[in-house]
Each structure stands twice: as structure tokens, then as C-alpha cells.
Amino acid sequence: MTRRVAVIGGGSSGLACIKSCLDEGLEPVCYESSDDIGGLWRFKENPEPDRASIYHSVIINTSKEMMCFSDFPIPANFPNYMHNSLIMDYFRMYADHFQLTKHIRFNTKVLQVRQRSDFSHSGQWDVETENKDGKTEKHIFDAVMICIGHHCYPNLPLHDFPGIDTFEGTYFHSRDYKTPEEWRNKKAVVIGIGNSGGDIAVELSRVTKQLYLSTRRGAWILNRVGNNGFPLDLYLKRVLDFVQLILPFGVFCGLAERRLNQRFDHALYNLKPKHRLFSQHPTVNDELPNRILSGTVQVKPNIRRLQGSSVEFDDGSVVEDVDLVVFATGYRFSFPFLASHVTSVSGNKASLYKYVFPPELERPTLAIIGLVQPLGAIMPISEMQARWATRVFKGCTKLPSVASMLKDVQCKQETMAKRYVSSQRHTIQVNYLNYMDEIAGLFGVRPNIPRLLLTDPRLGLKVLFGPGTPYQYRLKGPGKWAGARQAIFTQWERVAQPMQTRPCDDPKTKRSFMWPLILSAAVVGWAAYVNRYNFPAYLQDPTALLDKMKVYLPAQ
């Protein structure tokens, strides 16, 4: 009989799970609590409880070639960095192309997921759901994939801000921010300099009387626009990972920090943190330096206290008549429908093998998909996890022993603690290419670069020295896609196409005589040096020099 798999959540991770189940001959049933797909990327004016929420202007920080599903490139005419509405368009294209929507039960909330009494033998789960009319149902599934992400439950640490209960203005978490217009000519404070905090600060600063950006540690600011105007994340390459591997951590950070400071001096802009660049999840923001330079954003330290309409910072400075405080203080994750003995979450930490499987389950039939914070795009990672998990569900790929899995979990936690500053944000951090290769190697889809260099050198060089695009993981093994090679060869064309919106002929280069003159002077100088002892004679009788040159001229 076909194995049935419950997929909880219809966002990008959920769609990848449905597709992976179908590819492996499994029967997915996806439960989505809202009336549409998209998860985090679906904008709604009013945030819904226990659901991710974004503001109207959100543009993704990862470029289209790095964030697409591995067998479905984003259309060439789409911009490299997409607005949330275009991301939704892409998800709909993906769902329509692979006929995923018919497997989704919309307006259905999962109340409980628990092991059946014979779980040690069957590995099955009881899943209880509730539809929009309040009707509950119980279902039996052979496996469960949890795809609710980690942006559902806002972290609002009001206890760390004395006097917040006396504040006379408005305060809310960044998930409740939508548009800036109502704060025109007001004073606002944004707490936190992550990606949401930076974006909201920049947007508000265009309309507010003054915007104050409060940060405890500061941050290194990256640009979406990389060298020669190409998307920055296209420089996530295997060859760069190799350089990072052989260089000491401090040296590699220093080289990258020097490049960032060439764009703008982080110390001068009051942003320079004490930690190194790769010891914190970086903030990507092209406009923040411009807003600081123009004075519409002022960078401030942490808030000491609030009193009435005033805000006092740790440096003793006080801002009066503050109208708004936005807490861009991140999120916490949890699985309220799952028993704590299956997988527990404490301090934003969950013990999961490769961030996917609870290591101590008797049967590996539950996978948590997309619970990572990558230095890169999340969509291909969720897809990779889903492809691996469905192979495990089928029994085609085996997990190691419990002891081995627990050792791997501990090793990853220790490595993370050494590298990153202590924060709830840095409990699920992964490097995009390293992690993709690690998971791909577990079920035979990691590209074999030495073999490629021997059998298909052009392709091998593109995989080694080009961007680590997701198509590379469809070249071989389960789920191999015939279009993967062509997608890799045409990826730069898709990067360039959306920017080619005006005929722009290259100006004809004017003929320059500079290089011929330089070369001629060099030849004369060389000839003078070689014949330096006969030079006075040549001056008296130039015909002798001409006769000597005739030897090297072609015969008439």
C-alpha cells in the first residue's frame, strides 16, 4: 500500500515536501490553516495568530537563481531580488506545474500529532485536525513532515525594557508593522538591527521626523549588489568555501571586513560590532548607510529605560516625544501540537539530527523541514531536506545509530557556540553550500566535481567556480533532472535578462595610438641597447643600420 504522509504547513517548505512525496511515490496530505499557499511570503493587512506576517514592501534578500527550487527555475524576466508578490507568483507557478494544490486541505488546523500505540512497530501517527467550521477529525499517517517555519511566534522581551508600561506612545513587534504612512512627522525608535529592523528603520525614516535605530551589539552591513552589479549571493561558490577552509577564521573575516569598510567605515557610522563578520547572521541592507549619512537615521545603543514619552539610552542620551517603538527582536519557535518527549524546544534550541530528525525516535517517520537559519536561501535547503526525508521514509536511506546522531547534534551545537555570539538567533544557523552538500551526500545527489572535470570539463568548471545554484543537486542520483545541465549553463543569462530593459549599444572605441607608440619606443630602446657599441657609427652612417635591418625584413 502507498504510504500516507501528513505535511503540516503550505508555505515554501510544505510545497517542497508535497513535491518530494509525489516524486517518491508517497501520498501527501497537506494541512494549511489559512486559505492559501505561501506561508511567510503571503502578505496580509492583518496578522493572523500563530502565523508568520510580513510588511507590504518586503523584498527578499536572496537572488532568484540561488533561491529557486532545483528543478524549476524562476522565469528569466523576473527581477533578481523579488518583491513578496512575485515570490507568491512563483510559488503558484510551481504548485500549478507539479499539480500540488489538489493535495492541500486549506482552512484546516492541526491540533495534535501523537504516536500510535504500536509506533515501535508501525511508525505511524495519529493526527487530529480542525476545519474552519470547528469540526475535528482524526487521521492515521505513516509519516509526518512539519513545515511551519520559525517566524510564527514573536519574541517580545518587554521585561528587558524598564518603564515600558509607562510609555505613552505606541509599541509593537515588527510582525505587526505594515506600512509607514501613519507615522509621518513622528519620532520613532526601532529596536534591533537584523534584516527586519534595518528594513523598517529605512522605510520609516523616509516619512518620520526622526528615526532612532537602537542596537546592543552593532552589525556588519552587506549589500545586495555585489561586484560589477551582480547579486551578492552569486559569490557563494565552492572555491570560496575552500579558501575559507584553509584560511584562519580571523584572517578570512578580516579580508571580508576590509571590503565592507571600503564601502563605508562601520566605525565612523557607529555600527561596528565587537564580533567578527561571520560570528553573527549578517544584515543585508543597501540603503541604511545612505539614511545614516543623510541624518534621517541615528544609530543609538541599547535602551536603558522608558518614561512617559521619553526614551533613555545606555550612553545617557535622552530622546523626548517618542511616538512609536518597534521591537524587531526576532522570533521563537515551538511545536504546540507535538508532545515534548518527541522533540522539545528550550531557548530556541531543538535536538535534531541534521536539523531534521528527532534522534531518539524508535522509527524515523517524523521530519521537521525548514528549521534552519542559513547564510543563503532557505527554499533549496527545505527542498533538499524534504528529498532526503522522503527517501528515509521509504527505507531507501538509513539513519545512523542513535549514539551517532546524538554525537552529531552535540558537535554542531558546540561548533555554533564557538563561532557565533550568544543569541536566540544563532541556534539553527547553517552555511548554505556546506549544509546542502552535507545533506546531498546522505542520499547520493551531491555533485562529484572530480568526475565532472574528467567527463564534462565545462560543466565541472561551472560547478566548481560558479555560484552554488540548486540545479547542481539534480545532476545525478534520485530525482535527477534532465534540464539541470542546461539550467546551469544558462543561469547568467537569467540574471542579466531582467535588467536589459533598454537598447544600450556599446560605444565604438576610438582607435588609440598610445600602445603603438609605447611599443615602438620600446623596440627602438631595445635596438639601441643591443647595438650600443656601434651606435656612434650608425649615427655617422645611417645606411649601415638600414642594411642591418633588411636582414629581418621579408624578401621582395
Side-chain angles (χ1 to χ4, degrees):
M1 292 180 63
T2 303
R3 298 189 182 189
R4 300 179 73 235
V5 181
V7 178
I8 304 175
S12 61
S13 297
L15 294 176
C17 286
I18 299 170
K19 164 74 161 48
S20 296
C21 285
L22 294 173
D23 287 348
E24 293 294 339
L26 305 175
E27 181 186 337
V29 179
C30 177
Y31 297 108
E32 168 55 44
S33 61
S34 73
D35 59 357
D36 201 359
I37 63 171
L40 169 70
W41 295 102
R42 183 163 59 91
F43 172 78
K44 296 199 77 172
E45 285 288 349
N46 300 309
E48 299 171 345
D50 301 337
R51 287 187 55 80
S53 177
I54 57 173
Y55 39 99
H56 184 269
S57 63
V58 166
I59 293 175
I60 197 165
N61 284 333
T62 50
S63 68
K64 65 177 183 179
E65 289 300 301
M66 295 298 290
M67 63 161 277
C68 66
F69 295 113
S70 60
D71 56 356
F72 195 73
I74 294 173
N77 63 304
F78 276 37
N80 285 283
Y81 290 108
M82 298 190 294
H83 183 263
N84 58 83
S85 59
L86 287 175
I87 296 173
M88 284 298 299
D89 288 345
Y90 172 64
F91 288 164
R92 294 191 200 287
M93 293 176 192
Y94 182 74
D96 291 345
H97 182 78
F98 293 109
Q99 301 181 359
L100 308 180
T101 310
K102 65 183 180 182
H103 300 280
I104 304 176
R105 308 291 181 263
F106 292 108
N107 297 304
T108 305
K109 182 179 181 181
V110 173
L111 301 178
Q112 193 172 48
V113 175
R114 60 185 177 188
Q115 297 158 294
R116 305 206 77 209
S117 57
D118 64 345
F119 180 81
S120 60
H121 170 70
S122 68
Q124 291 182 325
W125 300 84
D126 285 320
V127 177
E128 185 178 357
T129 62
E130 181 184 61
N131 66 17
K132 62 180 180 180
D133 299 321
K135 180 182 178 182
T136 61
E137 291 182 321
K138 291 186 177 181
H139 317 266
I140 299 173
F141 285 97
D142 299 293
V144 175
M145 306 178 86
I146 299 175
C147 314
I148 63 173
H150 50 90
H151 293 97
C152 292
Y153 307 105
N155 177 45
L156 196 60
L158 298 182
H159 57 275
D160 291 335
F161 297 88
I164 187 67
D165 54 324
T166 71
F167 182 58
E168 296 172 359
T170 302
Y171 69 87
F172 51 71
H173 191 272
S174 57
R175 81 183 295 272
D176 296 314
Y177 172 82
K178 296 299 172 183
T179 57
E181 286 305 319
E182 64 178 298
W183 305 107
R184 185 172 294 277
N185 298 322
K186 307 288 187 181
K187 286 186 181 180
V189 176
V190 175
I191 302 172
I193 198 172
N195 287 313
S196 294
D199 283 351
I200 292 171
V202 164
E203 184 166 271
L204 280 171
S205 72
R206 297 193 186 101
V207 301
T208 53
K209 184 177 182 180
Q210 184 63 58
L211 190 289
Y212 302 92
L213 179 57
S214 171
T215 170
R216 285 180 300 173
R217 286 189 292 260
W220 295 101
I221 309 297
L222 303 184
N223 235 13
R224 283 189 180 95
V225 183
N227 292 342
N228 301 312
F230 289 110
L232 179 68
D233 59 356
L234 292 180
Y235 294 92
L236 289 174
K237 306 176 181 181
R238 283 189 166 78
V239 68
L240 186 63
D241 271 7
F242 177 73
V243 172
Q244 184 176 358
L245 188 66
I246 61 175
L247 286 180
F249 181 74
V251 172
F252 190 73
C253 287
L255 292 171
E257 289 162 9
R258 195 171 297 116
R259 289 295 300 272
L260 294 183
N261 280 324
Q262 287 174 351
R263 178 177 173 238
F264 74 91
D265 188 330
H266 283 62
L268 178 65
Y269 280 61
N270 212 22
L271 286 170
K272 184 178 180 180
K274 292 180 180 179
H275 59 263
R276 306 310 301 267
L277 171 59
F278 297 110
S279 294
Q280 183 184 35
H281 191 82
T283 298
V284 180
N285 198 303
D286 295 69
E287 295 187 66
L288 182 58
N290 298 333
R291 308 310 297 181
I292 296 172
L293 195 62
S294 65
T296 55
V297 171
Q298 288 187 21
V299 181
K300 306 292 286 185
N302 197 37
I303 291 176
R304 180 179 293 170
R305 66 174 63 88
L306 301 94
Q307 182 65 47
S309 63
S310 66
V311 175
E312 180 183 351
F313 298 94
D314 279 347
D315 62 355
S317 61
V318 178
V319 176
E320 306 284 354
D321 303 321
V322 174
D323 301 286
L324 170 68
V325 175
V326 180
F327 287 85
T329 46
Y331 295 83
R332 54 184 176 81
F333 61 83
S334 66
F335 310 106
F337 47 78
L338 202 59
S340 59
H341 72 271
V342 175
T343 183
S344 60
V345 178
S346 177
N348 255 25
K349 294 180 181 179
S351 179
L352 297 171
Y353 176 61
K354 307 295 185 187
Y355 303 100
V356 176
F357 286 101
E360 297 183 277
L361 277 182
E362 293 173 282
R363 307 279 287 186
T365 55
L366 181 136
I368 297 175
I369 307 298
L371 191 65
V372 290
Q373 181 79 41
L375 293 172
I378 181 67
M379 292 79 168
I381 286 180
S382 294
E383 181 193 42
M384 183 66 72
Q385 292 176 331
R387 292 172 66 190
W388 174 45
T390 50
R391 299 288 293 175
V392 172
F393 294 161
K394 282 183 66 177
C396 300
T397 301
K398 303 293 184 183
L399 298 184
S401 66
V402 172
S404 296
M405 289 192 285
L406 289 173
K407 184 178 180 180
D408 182 85
V409 171
Q410 184 180 0
C411 180
K412 279 183 165 48
Q413 289 176 348
E414 291 174 352
T415 301
M416 201 174 304
K418 288 178 183 177
R419 173 171 170 177
Y420 293 100
V421 295
S422 179
S423 168
Q424 282 196 149
R425 192 183 187 194
H426 298 136
T427 58
I428 50 175
Q429 200 77 27
V430 297
N431 282 343
Y432 173 81
L433 262 179
N434 291 344
Y435 184 74
M436 288 283 280
D437 278 351
E438 182 179 3
I439 302 302
L442 297 174
F443 67 108
V445 299
R446 179 175 178 173
N448 187 329
I449 296 175
R451 179 182 289 273
L452 284 176
L453 290 171
L454 289 173
T455 59
D456 192 343
R458 287 182 63 213
L459 178 61
L461 289 172
K462 287 185 179 294
V463 172
L464 178 60
F465 293 103
T469 45
Y471 322 119
Q472 298 180 7
Y473 301 96
R474 291 284 183 177
L475 292 169
K476 55 172 284 192
K480 179 181 177 180
W481 175 44
R485 185 180 187 275
Q486 181 65 14
I488 292 170
F489 274 87
T490 56
Q491 57 197 6
W492 288 106
E493 296 173 17
R494 289 189 296 278
V495 170
Q497 182 170 325
M499 295 179 282
Q500 306 303 304
T501 55
R502 179 181 74 88
C504 187
D505 295 329
D506 291 333
K508 293 181 180 179
T509 56
K510 294 181 180 179
R511 187 174 179 181
S512 173
F513 294 98
M514 181 182 68
W515 283 110
L517 287 172
I518 292 174
L519 291 173
S520 299
V523 169
V524 169
W526 175 78
Y529 175 77
V530 170
N531 298 283
R532 59 190 180 278
Y533 300 113
N534 300 321
F535 197 63
Y538 290 144
L539 290 177
Q540 292 177 3
D541 184 12
T543 57
L545 177 61
L546 292 173
D547 291 339
K548 196 172 185 72
M549 292 174 62
K550 285 180 181 178
V551 177
Y552 300 100
L553 296 174
Q556 295 297 323

